[in-house]
Amino acid sequence: ALYSIIQYLCVLHLYSILSNMGDAQYLFVDVAIIMSAVFTMSLSPPWRELVPQRPPSSLLSPQLLLSVGGQILLALAFQTSAFLLAHTQASAANGTGCGGAQQGK
């Protein structure tokens, strides 16, 4: 679910500037998300001991919803900050401000 939401947020950011991702860009995002998950999961060692408590059996448990919600907010914050940084750098390079009009020329 998180994988789909990350791509959905990326597409929403691009639609806001009337753009879209191509097949190669979808592939790059897929590889980046999957490889980062594979590397981080392979680096985490097993826990030292088993505990008697069972894991939550419901997908709607507060712990799981909080974890997924936190990851969604983290991805949204990262993508929004990267989008805004790229937008301000592009407008500074073009000599345009936030309104898109030429400044000082």
Side-chain angles (χ1 to χ4, degrees), residues 2 5 62-76:
L2 185 59
I5 292 172
Q63 297 92 347
L64 293 177
L65 289 177
L66 185 63
S67 174
V68 172
Q71 290 294 321
I72 290 170
L73 291 176
L74 185 66
L76 179 64

Side-chain angles (χ1 to χ4, degrees), residues 85-102:
L85 179 67
H87 183 68
T88 56
Q89 287 180 349
S91 63
N94 293 337
T96 59
C98 294
Q102 291 286 339

Side-chain angles (χ1 to χ4, degrees), residues 3 10 16 21 29-30 32 34 36-37 40 45 51 65 81 85 91 93 101:
Y3 173 76
C10 183
S16 72
M21 287 198 305
V29 170
D30 290 347
I34 296 298
S36 63
T40 55
V51 293
L65 289 177
S81 62
L85 179 67
S91 63

Side-chain angles (χ1 to χ4, degrees), residues 15-89:
Y15 280 174
S16 72
I17 59 169
L18 303 176
S19 185
N20 198 2
M21 287 198 305
D23 290 339
Q25 292 165 327
Y26 274 114
L27 179 64
F28 180 73
V29 170
D30 290 347
V31 168
I33 292 172
I34 296 298
M35 294 310 270
S36 63
V38 166
F39 287 136
T40 55
M41 287 189 333
S42 67
L43 292 175
S44 61
W47 196 247
R48 293 180 296 278
E49 62 185 57
L50 293 176
V51 293
Q53 295 93 353
R54 290 179 47 186
S57 60
S58 172
L59 291 177
L60 297 178
S61 67
Q63 297 92 347
L64 293 177
L65 289 177
L66 185 63
S67 174
V68 172
Q71 290 294 321
I72 290 170
L73 291 176
L74 185 66
L76 179 64
F78 179 76
Q79 285 187 6
T80 302
S81 62
F83 176 79
L84 292 175
L85 179 67
H87 183 68
T88 56
Q89 287 180 349

